Amino acid sequence: MTLSECIKPELLVPAGNREKLEVAIAYGADAVYFGSREFSLRRRAGNFSLTQIAEAIAYCREHGVKAYLAINLLPYNADMAALGEYLKALQPLPPDALIVGDPGVITLCREFLPGVPLHLSTQSNTLNYLSASFWQKNGLSRINLARELSLSDIAEVVYRVPGMECEVFVHGAMCMAYSGRCLLSAVLTGRHANRGDCAQPCRWSYALQEETRPGEFMALEEDERGSYIFNAKDLCLIARLAELKAAGAHSFKIEGRMKSAYYVAVVTRVYRQALDQLYLSPKTSFPPEQLEKWKNELTRVSHRRYTEGFIDGQGQSQNLQYHDSSAYLRNYLFCALVLEVVSYDSANQSCLVRLNVKDRLRTGTKIEVIAPGMDDFITTILSLQKESGEMVAQVHSGTIALARCQGLLAPYQILRQPVADTGAEI
Ligand code: SF4
């Protein structure tokens, strides 16, 4: 067995808020990353206050999961004093690593949190082994390699920079700009991508206007749906994990701090199963029917069409853009997250559960349940109550409700329904 076959890569999962963090851990994350409210990218992800960071780190430690805190904005002079104060406040509760992307931030982290490992953010766009070596000499213990690298590029960085942990994105949204270093959103909307607030204008539909004819828009049409010229597909490397592992990648990262707890559950569960299988039989690729099942499951979360990105080299770039539409594909509704089991009625084989309702639920509905570490199953919603105890025929998104369900459910299980069964318009 080679060294890379012995290593079990880490599964690193986004935790946009506390609920998603708990779901990520329940569904098999080895490590989670989350943002500080003030200094992380993904400003609209929810993010964590200092108190919440302390609680999140404690929760991760209880569950044997690593907690990485993202401080990966690209700051201006005016941000530095506050950032120093913030890092001082982190001293009593150090995370397992800080994700950073700026040399100034690195300088401050080494001053105020000298013992905490530093992981280089994808924003730093590391494309070659000399850059990786530079960062290693400057005290970074891990780099997130740029999504633009091929498999052989990744293997070469790992080989030439021993001791540096290399993290690769395996799943999630991609930018048409180099690792998100892009001013399009700042220029068009005032929302800065490098401060975590991208409005994704690259995915908008554009028209052409001749300058002496204001208001007369000529459609840029590839077909009747228009043209979405910069709209990147989503990355999905489930079929390439064995090769990435053989290349020596240390950590497999899932993108999506803005995505739902349902997305976190489904994607984490699939990649957890795949990594565990890879560990048990490292030399084989996945059986085709198994791979098909995982790929199919990954289409059940909101996504754009999938691509394997640059893993086979830049020549594959024609497969990166999706020109028909920038809309997400969504064929399942995230209906509810089970918060707790209130009681179990063994005589009737039903349980009363407290739900965080994410989409409308009706009594009498047969509904699919996904669960950590077990096969999906179907339950029936026998009755519904509002939090106040009032019995109702249906409950709505954004509420907490009590549901009596057939069989026995458990916390962190998720209720979902095919869109076709709900009549919902997406
Ligand atoms: S506008 Fe598009 S390319 Fe630019 S940072 Fe945002 S998502 Fe990336």
Side-chain angles (χ1 to χ4, degrees):
M1 197 183 257
T2 66
L3 183 61
S4 68
E5 284 169 354
C6 301
I7 294 168
K8 190 170 191 184
E10 169 191 270
L11 180 58
L12 176 53
V13 178
N17 60 27
R18 176 59 188 250
E19 180 178 275
K20 295 175 200 175
L21 181 137
E22 291 185 25
V23 167
I25 292 173
Y27 282 79
D30 296 312
V32 293
Y33 63 101
F34 47 90
S36 73
R37 213 160 253 171
E38 297 82 356
F39 296 106
S40 120
L41 294 181
R42 303 285 169 267
R43 281 173 58 190
R44 285 161 201 264
N47 290 325
F48 293 68
S49 67
L50 274 172
T51 310
Q52 290 167 331
I53 288 171
E55 290 165 357
I57 292 171
Y59 186 84
C60 288
R61 299 247 155 93
E62 273 168 37
H63 291 81
V65 167
K66 292 269 193 323
Y68 305 148
L69 178 66
I71 307 191
N72 58 344
L73 87 168
L74 304 181
Y76 291 87
N77 292 335
D79 297 315
M80 287 309 188
L83 180 55
E85 287 306 311
Y86 185 80
L87 293 174
K88 261 195 243 171
L90 284 175
Q91 285 168 346
L93 41 113
D96 293 297
L98 295 166
I99 301 172
V100 291
D102 173 79
V105 176
I106 291 170
T107 305
L108 283 181
C109 288
R110 289 167 69 181
E111 184 182 339
F112 292 111
L113 293 161
V116 179
L118 298 179
H119 294 178
L120 194 68
S121 166
T122 191
Q123 291 292 109
S124 297
N125 194 227
T126 305
L127 290 164
N128 63 72
Y129 61 87
L130 282 178
S131 294
S133 171
F134 169 88
W135 290 115
Q136 190 176 42
K137 285 179 191 134
N138 281 277
L140 280 284
S141 60
R142 178 185 294 194
I143 38 176
N144 181 290
L145 290 172
R147 287 179 179 83
E148 293 80 19
L149 292 191
S150 69
L151 196 58
S152 60
D153 289 331
I154 293 167
E156 188 169 0
V157 174
V158 172
Y159 174 72
R160 286 182 180 268
V161 194
M164 176 61 108
E165 293 178 355
C166 290
E167 180 181 286
V168 289
F169 273 109
V170 291
H171 197 94
M174 294 201 300
C175 256
M176 51 74 65
Y178 258 130
S179 297
R181 299 186 80 122
C182 167
L183 283 174
L184 199 57
S185 179
V187 169
L188 292 179
T189 70
R191 286 171 50 184
H192 290 248
N194 292 319
R195 299 177 76 78
D197 202 19
C198 180
Q200 303 203 336
C202 58
R203 304 185 194 281
W204 297 349
S205 178
Y206 289 88
L208 191 67
Q209 180 189 281
E210 197 273 322
E211 62 180 7
T212 65
R213 293 176 176 77
E216 287 184 27
F217 299 111
M218 288 167 267
L220 281 167
E221 274 187 4
E222 281 187 271
D223 59 26
E224 70 283 357
R225 287 170 294 230
S227 283
Y228 298 85
I229 47 183
F230 303 128
N231 181 36
K233 292 181 183 175
D234 284 357
L235 185 68
C236 175
L237 291 177
I238 186 75
R240 311 301 292 269
L241 296 186
E243 293 158 272
L244 284 166
K245 181 170 179 281
H250 181 274
S251 175
F252 292 172
K253 186 170 190 172
I254 294 167
E255 183 277 344
R257 273 193 278 152
M258 306 276 288
K259 298 284 177 66
S260 68
Y262 170 62
Y263 171 93
V264 170
V266 169
V267 178
T268 304
R269 188 172 68 155
V270 165
Y271 279 87
R272 174 78 277 149
Q273 288 170 0
L275 281 180
D276 287 348
Q277 187 157 324
L278 206 52
Y279 188 62
L280 290 174
S281 43
K283 287 200 169 159
T284 54
S285 54
F286 299 125
E289 23 351 306
Q290 175 68 76
L291 189 57
E292 223 27 64
K293 200 172 152 206
W294 285 330
K295 282 184 171 175
N296 193 28
E297 181 66 4
L298 291 171
T299 65
R300 292 177 178 166
V301 293
S302 172
H303 67 288
R304 298 185 186 91
R305 290 205 191 284
Y306 286 129
T307 173
E308 293 188 345
F310 293 98
I311 194 153
D312 290 318
Q314 302 279 335
Q316 302 303 306
S317 53
Q318 77 282 357
N319 189 34
L320 295 174
Q321 305 293 118
Y322 183 48
H323 296 169
D324 289 356
S325 162
S326 61
Y328 281 101
L329 305 170
R330 190 157 71 118
N331 52 17
Y332 270 76
L333 292 181
F334 174 20
C335 298
L337 174 71
V338 179
L339 299 176
E340 65 166 327
V341 179
V342 179
S343 61
Y344 179 64
D345 178 346
S346 53
N348 292 308
Q349 296 193 344
S350 70
C351 63
L352 187 66
V353 288
R354 188 180 304 280
L355 298 177
N356 187 351
V357 182
K358 306 288 185 175
D359 214 301
R360 187 173 53 181
L361 278 176
R362 294 190 183 94
T363 47
T365 310
K366 278 196 188 317
I367 203 154
E368 196 172 324
V369 182
I370 70 160
M374 61 186 281
D375 288 339
D376 303 343
F377 60 95
I378 303 287
T379 186
T380 302
I381 305 213
L382 303 170
S383 66
L384 286 165
Q385 285 170 260
K386 289 184 175 176
E387 241 189 331
S388 60
E390 181 192 349
M391 302 298 290
V392 285
Q394 58 182 21
V395 288
H396 295 275
S397 154
T399 61
I400 302 293
L402 290 166
R404 178 156 296 282
C405 298
Q406 194 182 46
L408 180 58
L409 273 59
Y412 301 114
Q413 290 180 347
I414 282 177
L415 276 49
R416 72 175 177 187
Q417 235 185 337
V419 169
D421 291 358
T422 64
E425 286 184 18
I426 302 296

